[in-house]
Amino acid sequence: MTGMSKLAERIKKIRLIKALVYSVVGALSYPGLALRNKMTISGTEHLENLPDRNVLFVSNHQTYFVDVIALLHVFCAVKWGKRNKLGVPYYLLSPYTNVHYVAAEETITKDWITRVYSLAGAIPVKRTWVQGGKEVRRGLDPSDTRKVERILDRSWVITFPQGTTKPYAPGRKGTAYIIKKNQPIVIPIVLGGFWRAFKKKGIGVRKAGTQLTIQFKPPMELDYNESTERILEQVMEAIEQSPDHALKGRHQPQE
């Protein structure tokens, strides 16, 4: 880990800094999420009595940053007693910051803006399945897995099992491995409309008036003794990215 990386990791642990990043990024992103577009949120009742640790949120992925930012908005709103809505974002005055999200290292270290976003709780991992611009499948990176497990042990973690914004891409076994080993509460999330409303990178609005949807499903009923392959199948089905869902119709264009 480089000196700059170590410094960034220390800064992330300072709650005041993290809260400030939430507030600033939240204020900048709120108009695009709630004013220029229409957002429908459902299932936040499943978040209300969760413990503050060992909770894993698994979600489909449509943009590099807005997906995570929208989820952080919802988590903060729920902690302020709101259900299935954002409303006036006074929750940004004291945001819920015990959340981290898994992100590709090359994405969050690209420039100073992405580095600022990363201070909101990014867990940088290597995209071990990319080689020469082409997708390949490799084994788990043990150091990244341990990193996610350590943070999951003390907080909520958001992960995108596909690791790409390409719809219906196969899920990564790493997610299933973490579930099997750590036995967290697993909350599936299904996002819709973000790919149409926002640019893939950054938080700029691409098309106003878009219907955005965030659906939180009940905690998954998993048998942790099942194989990682079977657990991954269930996760992909829950986030509606399984082959069966692909046959029913595409939610966004293939990239």
Side-chain angles (χ1 to χ4, degrees):
M1 185 180 287
T2 66
M4 287 298 292
S5 296
K6 290 180 180 177
L7 177 60
E9 289 304 311
R10 291 194 189 101
I11 292 174
K12 287 178 194 175
K13 294 178 182 178
I14 302 174
R15 187 186 180 281
L16 184 61
I17 298 295
K18 196 173 177 182
L20 179 61
V21 173
Y22 270 51
S23 298
V24 172
V25 175
L28 292 174
S29 59
Y30 180 83
L33 289 168
L35 301 178
R36 299 191 65 189
N37 291 291
K38 304 172 184 177
M39 180 181 288
T40 299
I41 305 167
S42 61
T44 61
E45 63 272 15
H46 303 305
L47 312 182
E48 292 173 358
N49 297 308
L50 291 175
D52 287 331
R53 56 174 296 277
N54 208 33
V55 178
L56 185 68
F57 295 89
V58 291
S59 178
N60 62 317
H61 201 17
Q62 297 193 337
T63 71
Y64 284 17
F65 297 107
V66 181
D67 298 4
V68 169
I69 292 170
L71 294 177
L72 295 178
H73 270 280
V74 176
F75 294 157
C76 293
V78 169
K79 287 300 182 178
W80 275 72
K82 298 189 179 187
R83 177 179 279 194
N84 294 329
K85 65 179 181 179
L86 297 184
V88 178
Y90 53 77
Y91 51 79
L92 294 175
L93 295 173
S94 181
Y96 179 70
T97 60
N98 195 37
V99 187
H100 292 76
Y101 62 95
V102 177
E105 189 172 50
E106 64 268 28
T107 299
I108 60 171
T109 58
K110 188 176 181 181
D111 53 44
W112 71 270
I113 294 178
T114 60
R115 288 177 187 274
V116 169
Y117 289 160
S118 76
L119 297 179
I123 307 172
V125 298
K126 301 178 187 70
R127 295 185 66 187
T128 56
W129 60 95
V130 174
Q131 181 176 24
K134 296 182 179 180
E135 288 192 358
V136 296
R137 288 286 165 180
R138 295 182 183 170
L140 293 171
D141 185 318
S143 64
D144 284 342
T145 302
R146 288 193 296 270
K147 188 189 308 179
V148 175
E149 289 177 340
R150 285 195 300 270
I151 294 174
L152 180 61
D153 186 56
R154 64 175 189 266
S155 70
W156 291 1
V157 171
I158 305 166
T159 190
F160 303 96
Q162 293 160 293
T164 174
T165 57
K166 183 177 181 180
Y168 308 113
R172 297 176 295 174
K173 286 185 181 179
T175 298
Y177 177 84
I178 289 169
I179 291 171
K180 183 177 176 67
K181 183 179 177 184
N182 298 275
Q183 302 185 11
I185 296 171
V186 181
I187 305 288
I189 304 170
V190 179
L191 304 175
F194 288 82
W195 66 272
R196 182 182 290 112
F198 298 95
K199 296 176 182 178
K200 185 191 287 191
K201 302 175 183 179
I203 60 175
V205 174
R206 181 170 142 188
K207 184 178 180 182
T210 300
Q211 178 65 62
L212 308 175
T213 58
I214 301 178
Q215 179 189 7
F216 295 93
K217 294 186 176 182
M220 294 185 67
E221 296 182 4
L222 294 167
D223 180 352
Y224 299 112
N225 293 316
E226 293 267 19
S227 66
T228 53
E229 290 80 8
R230 176 57 186 148
I231 290 174
L232 183 59
E233 286 177 7
Q234 293 175 76
V235 167
M236 298 307 290
E237 177 65 24
I239 65 173
E240 302 184 8
Q241 293 294 301
S242 66
D244 286 344
H245 281 280
L247 292 173
K248 293 176 184 177
R250 295 184 301 187
H251 296 304
Q252 66 184 91
Q254 299 288 336
E255 298 176 20

